[in-house]
């Protein structure tokens, strides 16, 4: 049975105020997080870790009931800014604003609220007709599946372990059990043939928009998530390909969701034989096991460099060797290196750096204690693992907090 969640319904923007959280309890199906705006803390951003945060905050006996965690997209798998619930109101008295769609947008929304120097007008988005003023502490922390951009102003607190593999639509010659190397994935996404590799082949070099690409003789169609995706950012780093270096046959290579970019971890975006796209292994497990909206029917997930992203089968699938080393107690204890060829990663909860200073308010300090303490407890670890992620032995260890720049 899918996890129970609270769903907050609302009328058209500018109309009726949202129903209270108790009015929208769904008994047998999982719904996108649209959370109670009167809760003390609001989170937005990453699609990858939104469902595990739903489990931490919305299920009966929730571990962290004080957090309202808002989904990246209105309704899975929709990414439509024209529907009414594309806009959210996270705090009582605050303005409605466009739902931050992905890790990058979550950081932008957090920056709009707390970066008084860089964003004195507190507008999110930073420009455009949908910009709203966020002046009610509308976002307290951001969810992120990617690491920081160098700088100061933000602290990235490690949350849970994930890995990224390649999801693909199976076809003749491209069945379940595909293994790809880092070099082969780089070929697929750069369009540059690696001499001596017989697995990935191109109909022409240099590649063009019409180049035919094959894996083991089967025609494939590489795709990439939208440009605000933390999974995209991590994946491109792991294969050492920049956005500018993406092959010309990859559709919408640098688009936002509003401009047609592809939502991450959404199997409906690869509907045709040979379509493939980077995909969070934890999200795959969560969807396969019925903990999140399942978009994986008819698809498979590759191993990378001989390491499987999953182990077992639904509804008891768990993290595979690609996630890295873990202790006998089940916690992952080796911090990912973030180097080329590394496909395991930590996901993060991001707060303003001032929340960790002596000048922080009691509310801000309490949030840091939740993110660095409560989430390390047995109850939280159980939820994190149930949603396909790995719990961390070093959660809450400030030596592993990362500095990052406001957006």
């Amino acid at each position: 049975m899918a996890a129970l969640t609270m769903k907050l319904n609302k009328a058209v923007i500018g109309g009726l105020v949202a129903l209270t959280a108790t009015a929208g309890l769904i008994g047998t199906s999982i719904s996108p997080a649209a959370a109670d705006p009167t809760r003390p803390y609001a989170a937005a951003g990453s699609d990858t870790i939104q469902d595990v945060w739903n489990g931490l905050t919305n299920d009966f006996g929730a571990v962290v009931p004080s957090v309202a965690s808002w989904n990246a997209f209105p309704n899975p798998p929709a990414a439509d800014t024209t529907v009414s619930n594309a806009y959210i109101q996270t705090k009582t008295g605050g303005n409605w604003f466009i739902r931050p769609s992905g890790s990058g947008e979550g950081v932008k929304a957090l920056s709009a609220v707390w970066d008084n120097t860089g964003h004195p007008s507190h507008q999110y988005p930073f420009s455009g007709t949908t910009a709203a003023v966020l002046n009610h502490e509308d976002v307290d922390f951001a969810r992120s599946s990617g690491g920081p951009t160098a700088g100061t102003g933000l602290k990235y607190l490690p949350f849970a372990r994930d890995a990224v593999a390649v999801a693909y639509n199976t076809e003749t010659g491209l069945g379940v059990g595909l293994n790809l190397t880092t070099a082969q994935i780089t070929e697929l996404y750069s369009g540059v043939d690696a001499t001596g590799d017989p697995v990935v082949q191109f109909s022409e070099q240099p590649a063009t928009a019409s180049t035919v690409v094959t894996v083991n003789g089967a025609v494939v169609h590489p795709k990439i998530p939208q440009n605000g995706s933390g999974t995209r950012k991590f994946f491109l780093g792991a294969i050492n390909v920049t956005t500018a270096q993406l092959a010309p046959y990859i559709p919408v290579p640098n688009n936002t969701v509003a401009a047609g970019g592809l939502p991450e971890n959404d199997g409906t975006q690869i509907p045709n034989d040979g379509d493939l796209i980077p995909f969070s292994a934890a999200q795959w497990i969560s969807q396969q096991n019925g903990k999140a909206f399942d978009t994986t029917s008819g698809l498979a997930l590759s191993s990378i460099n001989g390491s499987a992203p999953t182990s077992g089968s639904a509804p008891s699938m768990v993290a595979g060797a690609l996630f890295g080393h873990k202790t006998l107690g089940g916690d992952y204890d080796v911090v990912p290196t973030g180097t080329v060829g590394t496909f395991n990663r930590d996901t993060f909860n991001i707060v303003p750096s001032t929340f960790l200073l002596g000048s922080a308010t009691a509310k801000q300090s309490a949030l840091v204690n939740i993110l660095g303490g409560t989430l390390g407890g047995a109850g939280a670890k159980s939820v994190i693992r149930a949603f396909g992620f790995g719990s961390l032995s070093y959660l809450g260890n400030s030596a592993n907090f990362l500095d990052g720049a406001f957006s």
Side-chain angles (χ1 to χ4, degrees):
M1 178 181 293
L4 303 180
T5 65
M6 290 182 181
K7 181 179 180 181
L8 185 78
N9 299 306
K10 76 176 185 67
V12 290
I13 301 162
L16 299 177
V17 176
L19 298 176
T20 61
T22 56
L25 202 58
I26 307 299
T28 58
S29 63
I30 196 159
S31 301
D36 180 1
T38 63
R39 296 187 197 183
Y41 304 110
S46 171
D47 163 88
T48 300
I49 59 175
Q50 69 181 22
D51 294 307
V52 63
W53 263 107
N54 291 349
L56 289 165
T57 59
N58 289 347
D59 282 356
F60 288 121
V63 177
V64 194
S66 59
V67 170
S69 185
W70 295 80
N71 273 17
F73 305 113
N75 291 297
D80 186 354
T81 60
T82 65
V83 298
S84 60
N85 65 344
Y87 291 79
I88 57 177
Q89 183 193 39
T90 60
K91 298 291 178 74
T92 299
N95 286 322
W96 294 94
F97 61 98
I98 195 75
R99 191 181 294 266
S101 54
S103 301
E105 291 301 314
V107 172
K108 289 179 181 179
L110 186 69
S111 299
V113 175
W114 297 101
D115 183 8
N116 294 319
T117 301
H119 302 287
S121 66
H122 299 289
Q123 284 192 329
Y124 175 79
F126 299 153
S127 62
T129 58
T130 62
V133 175
L134 305 188
N135 56 5
H136 284 71
E137 301 184 0
D138 304 83
V139 179
D140 297 282
F141 70 98
R143 306 182 306 261
S144 182
S145 58
T149 299
T152 59
L154 298 175
K155 283 288 185 182
Y156 283 62
L157 280 58
F159 169 55
R161 179 62 55 84
D162 188 17
V164 175
V166 177
Y168 59 99
N169 199 314
T170 57
E171 61 174 320
T172 301
L174 195 68
V176 174
L178 177 67
N179 176 67
L180 295 168
T181 67
T182 301
Q184 289 162 351
I185 302 171
T186 300
E187 285 184 87
L188 289 168
Y189 278 87
S190 68
V192 178
D193 192 20
T195 303
D197 174 38
V199 174
V200 178
Q201 296 289 307
F202 301 89
S203 63
E204 59 185 339
Q205 286 284 285
T208 69
S210 58
T211 296
V212 177
V213 188
T214 60
V215 171
N216 293 326
V219 176
V220 296
H221 313 285
K223 296 184 177 182
I224 194 77
Q226 52 99 4
N227 68 3
S229 163
T231 295
R232 169 204 174 100
K233 176 182 177 182
F234 170 83
F235 177 77
L236 291 179
I239 63 173
N240 198 29
V241 174
T242 67
T243 292
Q245 293 170 335
L246 284 169
Y249 49 74
I250 295 176
V252 289
N254 194 30
N255 290 41
T256 63
V257 169
L262 307 183
E264 58 268 45
N265 308 315
D266 180 357
T268 67
Q269 303 301 317
I270 51 171
N272 303 311
D273 288 354
D275 284 353
L276 52 85
I277 197 168
F279 208 104
S280 157
Q283 261 286 332
W284 181 275
I285 295 167
S286 185
Q287 293 184 31
Q288 287 268 304
N289 287 348
K291 301 297 288 185
F293 188 91
D294 188 11
T295 66
T296 64
S297 178
L299 309 180
L301 193 65
S302 74
S303 294
I304 298 183
N305 298 323
S307 293
T310 66
S311 178
S313 57
S316 302
M317 186 180 290
V318 296
L322 192 61
F323 279 64
H325 181 270
K326 60 181 177 181
T327 66
L328 292 177
D331 291 336
Y332 288 86
D333 61 341
V334 178
V335 179
T337 62
T339 54
V340 174
T342 299
F343 290 86
N344 61 354
R345 61 175 176 176
D346 283 344
T347 58
F348 298 91
N349 298 309
I350 310 169
V351 297
S353 299
T354 53
F355 284 20
L356 284 79
L357 300 179
S359 58
T361 67
K363 179 185 174 184
Q364 292 165 357
S365 296
L367 175 60
V368 173
N369 287 335
I370 290 171
L371 300 179
T374 304
L375 294 182
K381 286 184 178 182
S382 177
V383 173
I384 288 168
R385 293 169 183 170
F387 278 80
F389 291 85
S391 56
L392 303 177
S393 66
Y394 47 87
L395 186 143
N397 183 343
S398 60
N400 296 107
F401 296 175
L402 303 178
D403 290 314
F406 280 121
S407 183

